[in-house]
Structure formats: structure tokens, C-alpha cells
Amino acid sequence: MITNIGPTPVVLEMLDEKLLQERLNQFKPEPLIEYKHDPKKVYEIPAVKEIEGVVDLAKTNFLGMLDNEDIKKSAEETIRKYGVGTCGPRAFYGTTEVHLALEEKIAEFLGTEECIIYSYGFVAISSSIAAYTNRRDVVFVDKEANEAIRYGLASSKSKVVYFEHNDPESLLKEAEKIEKEEQRKGKPSRKFLIVEGISWRTGRLCDLPTLVEIGEMFKMRIFLDETYTLGVFGKNGRGLTEHFGVDISRIDMSFGTIEGALGSIGGYCAGSHAVIEHQRLSGSGYIFSASLPTYLAQIAIESIDLMGNKPNRLIELAEKVHKFLVRCNFEVVSHPKSPFKVFTVKGENRVESEREVCRLCEERGVYLVRGEKGLVANLNVELCGKMRKVYDVLEDVSRRFR
């Protein structure tokens, strides 16, 4: 073979297969680090074990999938076959058949044409928004929108119009204002409506049917964040569209994380073929991030298959806990069916009172989270047997603040 690299031609001799194999066998590079490995030793993957007597309501594990032994076994088998990570974005050797299977599984589960998965839930939401909206668009969004939505809007540089939290009337007024303003200027714009099924901050459920009607009235493209409703609401756990009987085709894009009910990491976006195909070329979090580790995709698949009637059992538990908190004279911010409870202590010095409640509960083995709007208790359908302890601790603590 003759090449023209450099000022004069260079003649390269082609190695035959036998010679190439001999040289490969002779190649013994020095290790980058010293590592003593015993090939006969079986290395067990350590698992985080539950501490006896502790009830962890700080961890998000709504359907108890993190503790499922069948899922753990499936994850281990996937790691042994594919390794821990793919080390590349989806478009560059970062896609396995398991990724494709999960996308097909979620699309079929939700009833959409296609689905795309991201390696991180926050990025799934922000990238999906930024891929479609730009500085010439108007986006209507709830004042309590989560940080992932806000980050996506900041990246898009769109004109953002906020309406009051979970208030369709407020949305209607803001939409009418924008419409009159555009009619006066003679410059119509594309309009988007971004809705959270359950607010990350308050735990309140949105009035999806009314919001969708208003959105369609003003020809808005509707995006729905199902992070805390997927696997929780609806007879089969398909989310808010199933819960309210809203046809999924009326939602232009459904997205969210899979870190709540499915016991994995990552995020998804589901919609029509055109919507999803556009993201494969324009979703920055999809193009430039390493793909979701294959075993995490397998965990999500297993979780959907094992969901069964767990969503219905979780809703029953949520309603019981809500009634209990009200009976203990806590001010409950979240919706009765919310899988996580946001509640606070009535009266003055709310922040100090919440800190004290958190401390007292922790001393007795019940762990909560101090959030922006109050204390947060993440429910777990598999903890029903331990809820007696939670009730006893919270009831005793609440007496100190009455």
C-alpha cells in the first residue's frame, strides 16, 4: 500500500492475519494502576440494607421496586452481560437493544406512537422543552413550576407567562391578554402550555381536563410532566390522562422522570413520531450525554411488568395518611391522593417548628425531608406494615405543637 502522508510516499506492508495475531499476543502493556485481582474469587455486589426499626420516608420508592429481589437479580444479569455503562451517547455506540425495548415498552404502556429515554430525569424535562420552544414563542406555565421546567424555559429564551398555581381561571385570563396584545400588534406567535400532573413543590394535583380545554381553545401545544403521576394514577398506573379519561393524543408531549414509581434513574418523553424524531436531532440531553446504563433501562422494564395493582394500593395508602395528618392537626398542603405528603405545623415560626418535628421523628426512627413548602413524606406501598410506627410517632410529636 502506498500513502502520500508527508513529503514523500511511504510504502506500508500489509500484515497477514497470522503475523497480526502473533504481534497482538506479544503486546503486554503495563497497567495504569496497581490492581490485584483474584480470578477465582467471587465478588458480591453490596446492597444497602434496611436498618432495623427505621422507616425511611425520605427515599422516593413509591411502589417498592427498589427492594424487589427479582428486579435486583435481573439488574445483576444485565450488568454481567452489558457492563455498567455504555460510555457513549445514544447516537454514538450508546444504544443497546434494551434501550429500544424500554422506549417501545413506555410508548405501548402510555398509548403513544413513540418514546425516547434520557439518562437523567431532570435533563429529560429541560431538554424536551428547549428542543421545541424558542425566543419567538409564548409559553404559559404554573408559578410553582419545578426547576427542570424553569431550566428548559431559560434555555429556550421564550416569552414566559406565569399563571396562578393550579388555577385554570388565571390561565384563561393570561391567555386572553396575550391574544388581545397579538391581535393589536398583528404578530401571532406559537403558544405552549406546560403542566405538571402533580406539583413537585406542593404535591397538588392539576385540573388536567380544564387546562387541556383552555389550551385547545387558544391553539396551544400541551406538554405534561407526569413525573409523580406515572405509575401512581389511573387504574393501570398510566398517569393523569388515564385518571381523568383524557385521550393521550390531546397531549402533544408527555415527559417525566422514571425515578419515582419505577425505581430506576433517567427520564422519558412520549408523543407522536414527529415529536420524538425531532428530539433525536435537537434534544441536547439526548445527543451530548452518555446514554442510560443498560441495567437501569432493564430495571424500568421489569418495574412496568411488575406494577400490577400497586398503583391502586398506593392511592389507598395516600388517602389514609392524608386523613391521619389532618386529624393530627397538621396543615396538609398536598392532594389527598399524592404519593408524597407535604405538610407543615400550624402557627408561627413554621421553619423552626418543621426542623424540630424532623429532629424528633428522626430520633425515633422515622425519616422525613424538609422541603420548600413544608415537611415531605414519600410513601411506599410496601411499607404498609410499618405505618403503625409512623402514625404513633407523628401523633406523639404533633401533640407538642398544639
PDB file of all heavy atoms in Angstrom, residues 140-171:
ATOM      1  N   PHE A 140     -46.958  29.317  28.468  1.00  0.00           N
ATOM      2  CA  PHE A 140     -47.743  29.509  29.687  1.00  0.00           C
ATOM      3  C   PHE A 140     -47.365  28.413  30.670  1.00  0.00           C
ATOM      4  O   PHE A 140     -47.368  27.224  30.331  1.00  0.00           O
ATOM      5  CB  PHE A 140     -49.247  29.446  29.371  1.00  0.00           C
ATOM      6  CG  PHE A 140     -49.726  30.554  28.477  1.00  0.00           C
ATOM      7  CD1 PHE A 140     -49.678  30.419  27.091  1.00  0.00           C
ATOM      8  CD2 PHE A 140     -50.205  31.738  29.015  1.00  0.00           C
ATOM      9  CE1 PHE A 140     -50.112  31.441  26.255  1.00  0.00           C
ATOM     10  CE2 PHE A 140     -50.639  32.765  28.190  1.00  0.00           C
ATOM     11  CZ  PHE A 140     -50.590  32.622  26.809  1.00  0.00           C
ATOM     12  N   VAL A 141     -47.051  28.819  31.894  1.00  0.00           N
ATOM     13  CA  VAL A 141     -46.576  27.840  32.870  1.00  0.00           C
ATOM     14  C   VAL A 141     -47.018  28.247  34.274  1.00  0.00           C
ATOM     15  O   VAL A 141     -47.175  29.441  34.572  1.00  0.00           O
ATOM     16  CB  VAL A 141     -45.036  27.702  32.789  1.00  0.00           C
ATOM     17  CG1 VAL A 141     -44.352  28.990  33.204  1.00  0.00           C
ATOM     18  CG2 VAL A 141     -44.525  26.544  33.609  1.00  0.00           C
ATOM     19  N   ASP A 142     -47.233  27.274  35.121  1.00  0.00           N
ATOM     20  CA  ASP A 142     -47.647  27.485  36.508  1.00  0.00           C
ATOM     21  C   ASP A 142     -46.546  28.209  37.296  1.00  0.00           C
ATOM     22  O   ASP A 142     -45.366  27.970  37.087  1.00  0.00           O
ATOM     23  CB  ASP A 142     -47.925  26.116  37.145  1.00  0.00           C
ATOM     24  CG  ASP A 142     -48.690  26.215  38.454  1.00  0.00           C
ATOM     25  OD1 ASP A 142     -48.156  26.814  39.403  1.00  0.00           O
ATOM     26  OD2 ASP A 142     -49.815  25.700  38.507  1.00  0.00           O
ATOM     27  N   LYS A 143     -46.964  29.089  38.210  1.00  0.00           N
ATOM     28  CA  LYS A 143     -45.996  29.824  39.028  1.00  0.00           C
ATOM     29  C   LYS A 143     -45.143  28.909  39.897  1.00  0.00           C
ATOM     30  O   LYS A 143     -44.034  29.271  40.295  1.00  0.00           O
ATOM     31  CB  LYS A 143     -46.713  30.841  39.923  1.00  0.00           C
ATOM     32  CG  LYS A 143     -47.119  32.119  39.204  1.00  0.00           C
ATOM     33  CD  LYS A 143     -47.668  33.144  40.183  1.00  0.00           C
ATOM     34  CE  LYS A 143     -47.958  34.461  39.466  1.00  0.00           C
ATOM     35  NZ  LYS A 143     -48.488  35.486  40.406  1.00  0.00           N
ATOM     36  N   GLU A 144     -45.648  27.726  40.218  1.00  0.00           N
ATOM     37  CA  GLU A 144     -44.905  26.789  41.060  1.00  0.00           C
ATOM     38  C   GLU A 144     -44.182  25.732  40.231  1.00  0.00           C
ATOM     39  O   GLU A 144     -43.849  24.662  40.750  1.00  0.00           O
ATOM     40  CB  GLU A 144     -45.858  26.099  42.049  1.00  0.00           C
ATOM     41  CG  GLU A 144     -46.509  27.027  43.067  1.00  0.00           C
ATOM     42  CD  GLU A 144     -45.509  27.564  44.089  1.00  0.00           C
ATOM     43  OE1 GLU A 144     -44.362  27.071  44.121  1.00  0.00           O
ATOM     44  OE2 GLU A 144     -45.869  28.475  44.843  1.00  0.00           O
ATOM     45  N   ALA A 145     -43.932  26.019  38.975  1.00  0.00           N
ATOM     46  CA  ALA A 145     -43.255  25.049  38.104  1.00  0.00           C
ATOM     47  C   ALA A 145     -41.914  24.618  38.692  1.00  0.00           C
ATOM     48  O   ALA A 145     -41.202  25.424  39.295  1.00  0.00           O
ATOM     49  CB  ALA A 145     -43.046  25.658  36.715  1.00  0.00           C
ATOM     50  N   ASN A 146     -41.578  23.353  38.501  1.00  0.00           N
ATOM     51  CA  ASN A 146     -40.336  22.815  39.076  1.00  0.00           C
ATOM     52  C   ASN A 146     -39.101  23.357  38.363  1.00  0.00           C
ATOM     53  O   ASN A 146     -39.186  23.983  37.298  1.00  0.00           O
ATOM     54  CB  ASN A 146     -40.359  21.287  39.067  1.00  0.00           C
ATOM     55  CG  ASN A 146     -40.439  20.718  37.660  1.00  0.00           C
ATOM     56  OD1 ASN A 146     -39.589  20.968  36.825  1.00  0.00           O
ATOM     57  ND2 ASN A 146     -41.496  19.944  37.388  1.00  0.00           N
ATOM     58  N   GLU A 147     -37.939  23.092  38.940  1.00  0.00           N
ATOM     59  CA  GLU A 147     -36.690  23.642  38.424  1.00  0.00           C
ATOM     60  C   GLU A 147     -36.329  23.094  37.051  1.00  0.00           C
ATOM     61  O   GLU A 147     -35.712  23.789  36.239  1.00  0.00           O
ATOM     62  CB  GLU A 147     -35.545  23.361  39.406  1.00  0.00           C
ATOM     63  CG  GLU A 147     -35.621  24.171  40.683  1.00  0.00           C
ATOM     64  CD  GLU A 147     -35.658  25.675  40.405  1.00  0.00           C
ATOM     65  OE1 GLU A 147     -34.878  26.154  39.563  1.00  0.00           O
ATOM     66  OE2 GLU A 147     -36.485  26.360  41.032  1.00  0.00           O
ATOM     67  N   ALA A 148     -36.683  21.854  36.768  1.00  0.00           N
ATOM     68  CA  ALA A 148     -36.371  21.276  35.458  1.00  0.00           C
ATOM     69  C   ALA A 148     -37.111  22.031  34.357  1.00  0.00           C
ATOM     70  O   ALA A 148     -36.543  22.329  33.294  1.00  0.00           O
ATOM     71  CB  ALA A 148     -36.745  19.797  35.437  1.00  0.00           C
ATOM     72  N   ILE A 149     -38.382  22.349  34.597  1.00  0.00           N
ATOM     73  CA  ILE A 149     -39.165  23.126  33.627  1.00  0.00           C
ATOM     74  C   ILE A 149     -38.569  24.520  33.468  1.00  0.00           C
ATOM     75  O   ILE A 149     -38.401  25.027  32.351  1.00  0.00           O
ATOM     76  CB  ILE A 149     -40.636  23.216  34.067  1.00  0.00           C
ATOM     77  CG1 ILE A 149     -41.313  21.847  33.960  1.00  0.00           C
ATOM     78  CG2 ILE A 149     -41.397  24.244  33.228  1.00  0.00           C
ATOM     79  CD1 ILE A 149     -42.725  21.797  34.479  1.00  0.00           C
ATOM     80  N   ARG A 150     -38.239  25.158  34.579  1.00  0.00           N
ATOM     81  CA  ARG A 150     -37.680  26.513  34.528  1.00  0.00           C
ATOM     82  C   ARG A 150     -36.346  26.536  33.785  1.00  0.00           C
ATOM     83  O   ARG A 150     -36.046  27.478  33.048  1.00  0.00           O
ATOM     84  CB  ARG A 150     -37.510  27.066  35.955  1.00  0.00           C
ATOM     85  CG  ARG A 150     -38.837  27.332  36.657  1.00  0.00           C
ATOM     86  CD  ARG A 150     -38.619  27.756  38.098  1.00  0.00           C
ATOM     87  NE  ARG A 150     -39.882  27.932  38.793  1.00  0.00           N
ATOM     88  CZ  ARG A 150     -40.570  29.072  38.833  1.00  0.00           C
ATOM     89  NH1 ARG A 150     -40.083  30.146  38.231  1.00  0.00           N
ATOM     90  NH2 ARG A 150     -41.709  29.147  39.483  1.00  0.00           N
ATOM     91  N   TYR A 151     -35.544  25.514  33.973  1.00  0.00           N
ATOM     92  CA  TYR A 151     -34.254  25.452  33.289  1.00  0.00           C
ATOM     93  C   TYR A 151     -34.462  25.312  31.786  1.00  0.00           C
ATOM     94  O   TYR A 151     -33.753  25.932  30.983  1.00  0.00           O
ATOM     95  CB  TYR A 151     -33.434  24.283  33.824  1.00  0.00           C
ATOM     96  CG  TYR A 151     -31.999  24.290  33.378  1.00  0.00           C
ATOM     97  CD1 TYR A 151     -31.031  24.984  34.094  1.00  0.00           C
ATOM     98  CD2 TYR A 151     -31.603  23.604  32.227  1.00  0.00           C
ATOM     99  CE1 TYR A 151     -29.704  25.004  33.680  1.00  0.00           C
ATOM    100  CE2 TYR A 151     -30.290  23.614  31.807  1.00  0.00           C
ATOM    101  CZ  TYR A 151     -29.349  24.314  32.539  1.00  0.00           C
ATOM    102  OH  TYR A 151     -28.047  24.335  32.121  1.00  0.00           O
ATOM    103  N   GLY A 152     -35.430  24.482  31.395  1.00  0.00           N
ATOM    104  CA  GLY A 152     -35.733  24.327  29.971  1.00  0.00           C
ATOM    105  C   GLY A 152     -36.210  25.620  29.346  1.00  0.00           C
ATOM    106  O   GLY A 152     -35.841  25.961  28.217  1.00  0.00           O
ATOM    107  N   LEU A 153     -37.028  26.373  30.087  1.00  0.00           N
ATOM    108  CA  LEU A 153     -37.527  27.656  29.587  1.00  0.00           C
ATOM    109  C   LEU A 153     -36.403  28.677  29.466  1.00  0.00           C
ATOM    110  O   LEU A 153     -36.365  29.465  28.515  1.00  0.00           O
ATOM    111  CB  LEU A 153     -38.629  28.188  30.518  1.00  0.00           C
ATOM    112  CG  LEU A 153     -39.924  27.377  30.534  1.00  0.00           C
ATOM    113  CD1 LEU A 153     -40.870  27.901  31.615  1.00  0.00           C
ATOM    114  CD2 LEU A 153     -40.603  27.436  29.172  1.00  0.00           C
ATOM    115  N   ALA A 154     -35.486  28.662  30.436  1.00  0.00           N
ATOM    116  CA  ALA A 154     -34.349  29.582  30.373  1.00  0.00           C
ATOM    117  C   ALA A 154     -33.490  29.283  29.140  1.00  0.00           C
ATOM    118  O   ALA A 154     -32.995  30.207  28.482  1.00  0.00           O
ATOM    119  CB  ALA A 154     -33.518  29.472  31.645  1.00  0.00           C
ATOM    120  N   SER A 155     -33.330  28.016  28.821  1.00  0.00           N
ATOM    121  CA  SER A 155     -32.533  27.628  27.657  1.00  0.00           C
ATOM    122  C   SER A 155     -33.218  28.021  26.354  1.00  0.00           C
ATOM    123  O   SER A 155     -32.555  28.361  25.376  1.00  0.00           O
ATOM    124  CB  SER A 155     -32.290  26.117  27.663  1.00  0.00           C
ATOM    125  OG  SER A 155     -31.602  25.716  28.830  1.00  0.00           O
ATOM    126  N   SER A 156     -34.531  27.986  26.343  1.00  0.00           N
ATOM    127  CA  SER A 156     -35.280  28.292  25.115  1.00  0.00           C
ATOM    128  C   SER A 156     -35.365  29.786  24.831  1.00  0.00           C
ATOM    129  O   SER A 156     -35.577  30.198  23.701  1.00  0.00           O
ATOM    130  CB  SER A 156     -36.697  27.732  25.220  1.00  0.00           C
ATOM    131  OG  SER A 156     -37.457  28.488  26.153  1.00  0.00           O
ATOM    132  N   LYS A 157     -35.249  30.615  25.916  1.00  0.00           N
ATOM    133  CA  LYS A 157     -35.355  32.074  25.806  1.00  0.00           C
ATOM    134  C   LYS A 157     -36.724  32.525  25.302  1.00  0.00           C
ATOM    135  O   LYS A 157     -36.876  33.605  24.718  1.00  0.00           O
ATOM    136  CB  LYS A 157     -34.253  32.642  24.903  1.00  0.00           C
ATOM    137  CG  LYS A 157     -32.841  32.409  25.434  1.00  0.00           C
ATOM    138  CD  LYS A 157     -31.799  33.010  24.513  1.00  0.00           C
ATOM    139  CE  LYS A 157     -30.401  32.933  25.128  1.00  0.00           C
ATOM    140  NZ  LYS A 157     -29.975  31.567  25.422  1.00  0.00           N
ATOM    141  N   SER A 158     -37.745  31.696  25.518  1.00  0.00           N
ATOM    142  CA  SER A 158     -39.108  32.055  25.113  1.00  0.00           C
ATOM    143  C   SER A 158     -39.695  33.097  26.056  1.00  0.00           C
ATOM    144  O   SER A 158     -39.194  33.313  27.166  1.00  0.00           O
ATOM    145  CB  SER A 158     -40.000  30.812  25.125  1.00  0.00           C
ATOM    146  OG  SER A 158     -39.508  29.832  24.265  1.00  0.00           O
ATOM    147  N   LYS A 159     -40.773  33.725  25.613  1.00  0.00           N
ATOM    148  CA  LYS A 159     -41.516  34.626  26.493  1.00  0.00           C
ATOM    149  C   LYS A 159     -42.353  33.755  27.421  1.00  0.00           C
ATOM    150  O   LYS A 159     -43.187  32.971  26.959  1.00  0.00           O
ATOM    151  CB  LYS A 159     -42.421  35.553  25.688  1.00  0.00           C
ATOM    152  CG  LYS A 159     -43.261  36.478  26.564  1.00  0.00           C
ATOM    153  CD  LYS A 159     -44.132  37.415  25.738  1.00  0.00           C
ATOM    154  CE  LYS A 159     -44.976  38.308  26.645  1.00  0.00           C
ATOM    155  NZ  LYS A 159     -45.809  39.255  25.861  1.00  0.00           N
ATOM    156  N   VAL A 160     -42.131  33.865  28.720  1.00  0.00           N
ATOM    157  CA  VAL A 160     -42.820  33.017  29.699  1.00  0.00           C
ATOM    158  C   VAL A 160     -43.926  33.816  30.386  1.00  0.00           C
ATOM    159  O   VAL A 160     -43.678  34.915  30.896  1.00  0.00           O
ATOM    160  CB  VAL A 160     -41.838  32.470  30.747  1.00  0.00           C
ATOM    161  CG1 VAL A 160     -42.569  31.578  31.745  1.00  0.00           C
ATOM    162  CG2 VAL A 160     -40.709  31.706  30.069  1.00  0.00           C
ATOM    163  N   VAL A 161     -45.119  33.260  30.394  1.00  0.00           N
ATOM    164  CA  VAL A 161     -46.261  33.877  31.064  1.00  0.00           C
ATOM    165  C   VAL A 161     -46.702  32.948  32.189  1.00  0.00           C
ATOM    166  O   VAL A 161     -47.112  31.807  31.927  1.00  0.00           O
ATOM    167  CB  VAL A 161     -47.424  34.121  30.089  1.00  0.00           C
ATOM    168  CG1 VAL A 161     -48.619  34.731  30.823  1.00  0.00           C
ATOM    169  CG2 VAL A 161     -46.988  35.018  28.935  1.00  0.00           C
ATOM    170  N   TYR A 162     -46.616  33.425  33.409  1.00  0.00           N
ATOM    171  CA  TYR A 162     -46.974  32.604  34.561  1.00  0.00           C
ATOM    172  C   TYR A 162     -48.432  32.819  34.954  1.00  0.00           C
ATOM    173  O   TYR A 162     -48.937  33.943  34.904  1.00  0.00           O
ATOM    174  CB  TYR A 162     -46.080  32.933  35.757  1.00  0.00           C
ATOM    175  CG  TYR A 162     -44.645  32.492  35.591  1.00  0.00           C
ATOM    176  CD1 TYR A 162     -43.654  33.403  35.223  1.00  0.00           C
ATOM    177  CD2 TYR A 162     -44.282  31.158  35.784  1.00  0.00           C
ATOM    178  CE1 TYR A 162     -42.330  32.996  35.060  1.00  0.00           C
ATOM    179  CE2 TYR A 162     -42.970  30.749  35.617  1.00  0.00           C
ATOM    180  CZ  TYR A 162     -42.004  31.667  35.258  1.00  0.00           C
ATOM    181  OH  TYR A 162     -40.711  31.257  35.095  1.00  0.00           O
ATOM    182  N   PHE A 163     -49.101  31.727  35.350  1.00  0.00           N
ATOM    183  CA  PHE A 163     -50.447  31.834  35.909  1.00  0.00           C
ATOM    184  C   PHE A 163     -50.449  31.252  37.317  1.00  0.00           C
ATOM    185  O   PHE A 163     -49.529  30.535  37.704  1.00  0.00           O
ATOM    186  CB  PHE A 163     -51.486  31.130  35.015  1.00  0.00           C
ATOM    187  CG  PHE A 163     -51.234  29.667  34.760  1.00  0.00           C
ATOM    188  CD1 PHE A 163     -51.767  28.697  35.605  1.00  0.00           C
ATOM    189  CD2 PHE A 163     -50.479  29.250  33.669  1.00  0.00           C
ATOM    190  CE1 PHE A 163     -51.550  27.340  35.375  1.00  0.00           C
ATOM    191  CE2 PHE A 163     -50.249  27.896  33.418  1.00  0.00           C
ATOM    192  CZ  PHE A 163     -50.790  26.947  34.281  1.00  0.00           C
ATOM    193  N   GLU A 164     -51.446  31.586  38.094  1.00  0.00           N
ATOM    194  CA  GLU A 164     -51.516  31.164  39.495  1.00  0.00           C
ATOM    195  C   GLU A 164     -51.540  29.646  39.607  1.00  0.00           C
ATOM    196  O   GLU A 164     -52.041  28.945  38.730  1.00  0.00           O
ATOM    197  CB  GLU A 164     -52.751  31.761  40.183  1.00  0.00           C
ATOM    198  CG  GLU A 164     -52.751  33.282  40.275  1.00  0.00           C
ATOM    199  CD  GLU A 164     -51.580  33.815  41.067  1.00  0.00           C
ATOM    200  OE1 GLU A 164     -51.191  33.165  42.073  1.00  0.00           O
ATOM    201  OE2 GLU A 164     -51.036  34.864  40.683  1.00  0.00           O
ATOM    202  N   HIS A 165     -51.006  29.161  40.716  1.00  0.00           N
ATOM    203  CA  HIS A 165     -50.825  27.723  40.905  1.00  0.00           C
ATOM    204  C   HIS A 165     -52.134  26.950  40.793  1.00  0.00           C
ATOM    205  O   HIS A 165     -53.096  27.214  41.530  1.00  0.00           O
ATOM    206  CB  HIS A 165     -50.193  27.477  42.279  1.00  0.00           C
ATOM    207  CG  HIS A 165     -49.860  26.041  42.542  1.00  0.00           C
ATOM    208  ND1 HIS A 165     -49.295  25.210  41.594  1.00  0.00           N
ATOM    209  CD2 HIS A 165     -50.021  25.267  43.657  1.00  0.00           C
ATOM    210  CE1 HIS A 165     -49.107  24.014  42.105  1.00  0.00           C
ATOM    211  NE2 HIS A 165     -49.544  24.022  43.355  1.00  0.00           N
ATOM    212  N   ASN A 166     -52.144  26.009  39.837  1.00  0.00           N
ATOM    213  CA  ASN A 166     -53.303  25.133  39.616  1.00  0.00           C
ATOM    214  C   ASN A 166     -54.614  25.896  39.471  1.00  0.00           C
ATOM    215  O   ASN A 166     -55.661  25.466  39.964  1.00  0.00           O
ATOM    216  CB  ASN A 166     -53.429  24.114  40.760  1.00  0.00           C
ATOM    217  CG  ASN A 166     -52.472  22.952  40.607  1.00  0.00           C
ATOM    218  OD1 ASN A 166     -51.742  22.856  39.620  1.00  0.00           O
ATOM    219  ND2 ASN A 166     -52.450  22.065  41.586  1.00  0.00           N
ATOM    220  N   ASP A 167     -54.569  27.033  38.787  1.00  0.00           N
ATOM    221  CA  ASP A 167     -55.746  27.892  38.645  1.00  0.00           C
ATOM    222  C   ASP A 167     -56.074  28.079  37.164  1.00  0.00           C
ATOM    223  O   ASP A 167     -55.493  28.938  36.495  1.00  0.00           O
ATOM    224  CB  ASP A 167     -55.475  29.249  39.301  1.00  0.00           C
ATOM    225  CG  ASP A 167     -56.716  30.133  39.362  1.00  0.00           C
ATOM    226  OD1 ASP A 167     -57.723  29.795  38.702  1.00  0.00           O
ATOM    227  OD2 ASP A 167     -56.674  31.157  40.064  1.00  0.00           O
ATOM    228  N   PRO A 168     -57.015  27.294  36.617  1.00  0.00           N
ATOM    229  CA  PRO A 168     -57.388  27.424  35.208  1.00  0.00           C
ATOM    230  C   PRO A 168     -57.922  28.811  34.855  1.00  0.00           C
ATOM    231  O   PRO A 168     -57.697  29.302  33.744  1.00  0.00           O
ATOM    232  CB  PRO A 168     -58.475  26.349  35.036  1.00  0.00           C
ATOM    233  CG  PRO A 168     -58.188  25.339  36.099  1.00  0.00           C
ATOM    234  CD  PRO A 168     -57.704  26.152  37.261  1.00  0.00           C
ATOM    235  N   GLU A 169     -58.646  29.446  35.786  1.00  0.00           N
ATOM    236  CA  GLU A 169     -59.179  30.784  35.524  1.00  0.00           C
ATOM    237  C   GLU A 169     -58.053  31.786  35.292  1.00  0.00           C
ATOM    238  O   GLU A 169     -58.142  32.658  34.430  1.00  0.00           O
ATOM    239  CB  GLU A 169     -60.061  31.238  36.693  1.00  0.00           C
ATOM    240  CG  GLU A 169     -61.401  30.548  36.775  1.00  0.00           C
ATOM    241  CD  GLU A 169     -62.274  30.838  35.557  1.00  0.00           C
ATOM    242  OE1 GLU A 169     -62.238  31.993  35.073  1.00  0.00           O
ATOM    243  OE2 GLU A 169     -62.942  29.909  35.077  1.00  0.00           O
ATOM    244  N   SER A 170     -56.992  31.652  36.064  1.00  0.00           N
ATOM    245  CA  SER A 170     -55.833  32.528  35.898  1.00  0.00           C
ATOM    246  C   SER A 170     -55.179  32.296  34.542  1.00  0.00           C
ATOM    247  O   SER A 170     -54.773  33.252  33.856  1.00  0.00           O
ATOM    248  CB  SER A 170     -54.820  32.279  37.016  1.00  0.00           C
ATOM    249  OG  SER A 170     -53.654  33.049  36.833  1.00  0.00           O
ATOM    250  N   LEU A 171     -55.080  31.025  34.125  1.00  0.00           N
ATOM    251  CA  LEU A 171     -54.531  30.713  32.804  1.00  0.00           C
ATOM    252  C   LEU A 171     -55.382  31.350  31.714  1.00  0.00           C
ATOM    253  O   LEU A 171     -54.856  31.941  30.761  1.00  0.00           O
ATOM    254  CB  LEU A 171     -54.470  29.201  32.612  1.00  0.00           C
ATOM    255  CG  LEU A 171     -54.171  28.708  31.181  1.00  0.00           C
ATOM    256  CD1 LEU A 171     -52.788  29.189  30.725  1.00  0.00           C
ATOM    257  CD2 LEU A 171     -54.267  27.194  31.101  1.00  0.00           C
TER     258      LEU A 171
END
